[in-house]
Structures are given as C-alpha cells and as structure tokens.
C-alpha cells in the first residue's frame, strides 16, 4: 500500500480501528451481572462460580446461612444472547453438624451446571441455589424468588423446617433466661451489697463505657447507684417480657 507522508497519521488510525474493532465486538458479546446465593437447606454453604472456558471469569465466595439468602456479589460475565449448553462450574462447600471433636464437618463438591434459558431474552442476575435435596441450580433473573415472574423451579424464599425453628427457639429461650438471671443477680447484689455492686459496675464502665460516668463523682454517688437500679430494673422487665413472648410463640 502506497501511503503519502501527509496521510500516514490517518492510515495509522484506520489500522488501529481495524485491529481494535474485533476486540470491542468480542467484549460486547457478554455482560457483567451480580451474583446471589440462596440456601434452601439447613447446612450453611458457600459457593464460587467459574466459567469453564475462562478461569478469569469468576465470582462468589460468600457464606449463606441455613434457610437464608446471601448478599450481592460482583460480578460474573454471562453471554449477552442465550444459547444451549452455557455451563458454569460451581464449587460448593457446605458444613454439617459438629463431629465428636467439636469441629464442623466440611463437604466440598464441584458442579457443572447449565444456565437455563433467559426468561426475558436477556441475561439477568445470576442466582446460585442450593436446593432442599442439596443439588445446585442456577437461574438468570432480575426478579427475586418471591416475584411472580421468577423463572426458577422453586418459588419463594427458603422456609425453615419445623425442627430448625424449634432448635433456634431453644437457643433464644436460653439466651433470654440467662439475661433474666443476670439482671436478677445484679439487682440482688445492689440490694444486699451496694458498695461492692456499685464499685464493680463503676470499674466495668470505666473500662468499656466512660461516657456513662460523666456527671458522677464515683461509685458512692447516690445518683450513680440510682442510675444502676433503673438500668437493672428496666433490663429485667424487658427480658422477662421477651421471654414470655418467646414461650408463647413456640413453633
């Protein structure tokens, strides 16, 4: 090609555009989408998604608790146009109950999962679903699982099993029982040994909550002791009320 000196710069630009254009077209063939995890099982799990054809296209890593949904992770590239056999490699880790040595039992597996046909013709957010039977599904959708247009096989958010609800209920009950007993013990000590109780509370506040001591001259300050009594009585009333509510709402 014979290029005149005055046209050399223009020729270079045309060549650069010619070389870059295919790259721009290739980039436009995929689109970044957010990633979400949803767990329909009792076992907490985490996931990492990777493109089998491009290891750099990867995302995830969050922990999704029992019968829960994770946050929003960024990002995974999906083809702009759906085609059959779009596959995603999902590395899933879940944890079973504690073993005899009190450690959690970890189970790691890898799944090669097809991306279902885009519901509205364009890629939506990528949802990684751990189904009730432990299998891994994918859905591409900008709608959430409880939306009428959600295209996934399982509709709605996870619903905890009755056994799980009662297990959590037992933990909440124990927590509130401990709180009630703590406030009862604090009030008893304040009544029977006010000097010791006030001094202990003062020392604790001096370490962890100095602002609460502003305006008081010391643990012997009657205003400070009155403040402690109000806090303990209010705390006891609140925790007793919460304990009553929990007991009446047993699943």
């Amino acid at each position: 090609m014979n290029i005149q000196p005055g046209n050399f710069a223009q020729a270079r630009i045309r060549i650069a555009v010619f070389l870059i254009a295919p790259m721009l077209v290739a980039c436009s063939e995929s689109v970044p989408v957010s990633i979400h995890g949803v767990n329909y099982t009792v076992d907490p799990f985490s996931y990492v998604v990777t493109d089998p054809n491009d290891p750099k296209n990867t995302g995830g890593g969050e922990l999704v608790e029992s019968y829960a949904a994770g946050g929003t992770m960024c990002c995974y590239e999906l083809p702009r146009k759906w085609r059959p056999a779009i596959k995603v490699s999902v590395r899933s880790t879940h944890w079973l109950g504690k073993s005899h040595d009190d450690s959690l039992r970890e189970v790691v597996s890898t799944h090669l999962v097809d991306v279902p046909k885009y519901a509205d013709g364009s890629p939506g957010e990528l949802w990684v679903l751990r189904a009730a039977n432990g299998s891994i599904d994918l859905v591409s959708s900008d709608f959430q699982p409880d939306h009428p247009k959600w295209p996934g096989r399982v509709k709605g958010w996870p619903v905890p099993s009755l056994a799980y609800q009662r297990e959590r209920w037992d933990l909440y009950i124990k927590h509130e029982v401990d709180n009630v007993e703590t406030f009862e013990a604090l009030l008893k000590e304040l009544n029977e040994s006010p000097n010791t109780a006030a001094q202990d509370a003062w020392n604790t506040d001096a370490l962890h909550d100095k602002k609460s001591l502003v305006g008081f001259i010391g643990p012997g300050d009657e205003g400070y002791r009155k403040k402690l009594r109000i806090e303990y009585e209010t705390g006891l009333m609140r925790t007793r009320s919460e304990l009553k509510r929990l007991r009446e709402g047993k699943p």
Side-chain angles (χ1 to χ4, degrees):
M1 178 172 59
N2 185 16
I3 301 176
Q4 299 298 320
N7 296 330
F8 184 74
Q10 294 181 5
R12 290 185 61 186
I13 292 174
R14 287 197 298 270
I15 292 172
V17 171
F18 176 78
L19 293 175
I20 292 174
M23 297 174 61
L24 295 176
V25 172
C27 290
S28 68
E29 291 178 354
S30 61
V31 59
V33 298
S34 299
I35 316 167
H36 307 278
V38 183
N39 187 5
Y40 291 89
T41 76
V42 69
D43 306 320
F45 96 110
S46 68
Y47 64 89
V48 174
V49 292
T50 304
D51 186 341
N53 300 314
D54 181 9
K56 293 182 180 179
N57 184 16
T58 186
E62 66 176 339
L63 175 67
V64 187
E65 296 291 348
S66 309
Y67 302 108
T72 300
M73 307 294 289
C74 182
C75 292
Y76 189 83
E77 297 273 344
L78 280 177
R80 189 176 295 276
K81 292 184 178 181
W82 183 87
R83 61 180 183 274
I86 299 175
K87 294 186 180 296
V88 175
S89 176
V90 183
R91 185 177 186 272
S92 171
T93 304
H94 66 275
W95 290 267
L96 305 175
K98 291 183 177 180
S99 59
H100 62 279
D101 62 355
D102 210 36
S103 63
L104 290 175
R105 292 171 288 172
E106 182 180 279
V107 180
V108 181
S109 57
T110 300
H111 314 259
L112 195 59
V113 188
D114 287 322
V115 177
K117 189 173 182 179
Y118 303 152
D120 58 358
S122 61
E125 297 178 316
L126 184 64
W127 296 79
V128 182
L129 314 170
R130 186 164 195 262
N133 63 0
S135 63
I136 298 295
D137 289 335
L138 293 176
V139 170
S140 175
S141 172
D142 287 329
F143 299 109
Q144 297 183 346
D146 60 345
H147 194 280
K149 292 186 178 180
W150 169 254
R153 291 187 299 108
V154 179
K155 311 297 182 182
W157 296 107
V159 177
S161 67
L162 181 59
Y164 179 77
Q165 292 182 55
R166 288 182 174 172
E167 178 186 335
R168 302 305 297 176
W169 180 83
D170 287 339
L171 291 175
Y172 297 145
I173 288 289
K174 183 180 184 306
H175 177 72
E176 289 306 327
V177 167
D178 290 344
N179 285 340
V180 168
E181 292 176 349
T182 296
F183 283 117
E184 288 177 341
L186 289 170
L187 277 170
K188 181 179 180 182
E189 185 181 31
L190 191 60
N191 290 329
E192 297 178 355
S193 305
N195 293 335
T196 300
Q199 184 66 63
D200 289 344
W202 185 274
N203 292 341
T204 299
D205 287 342
L207 286 174
H208 305 289
D209 189 16
K210 289 184 178 180
K211 291 183 179 180
S212 68
L213 302 179
V214 174
F216 303 110
I217 60 175
D221 189 324
E222 286 301 321
Y224 179 69
R225 297 188 181 192
K226 181 178 179 181
K227 166 184 168 295
L228 290 179
R229 183 174 298 279
I230 291 173
E231 287 179 354
Y232 297 162
E233 289 176 346
T234 301
L236 180 59
M237 182 173 61
R238 184 181 65 251
T239 54
R240 280 177 173 171
S241 175
E242 179 63 12
L243 182 59
K244 181 175 182 293
R245 185 191 70 80
L246 285 171
R247 283 174 170 162
E248 291 175 348
K250 180 178 180 179

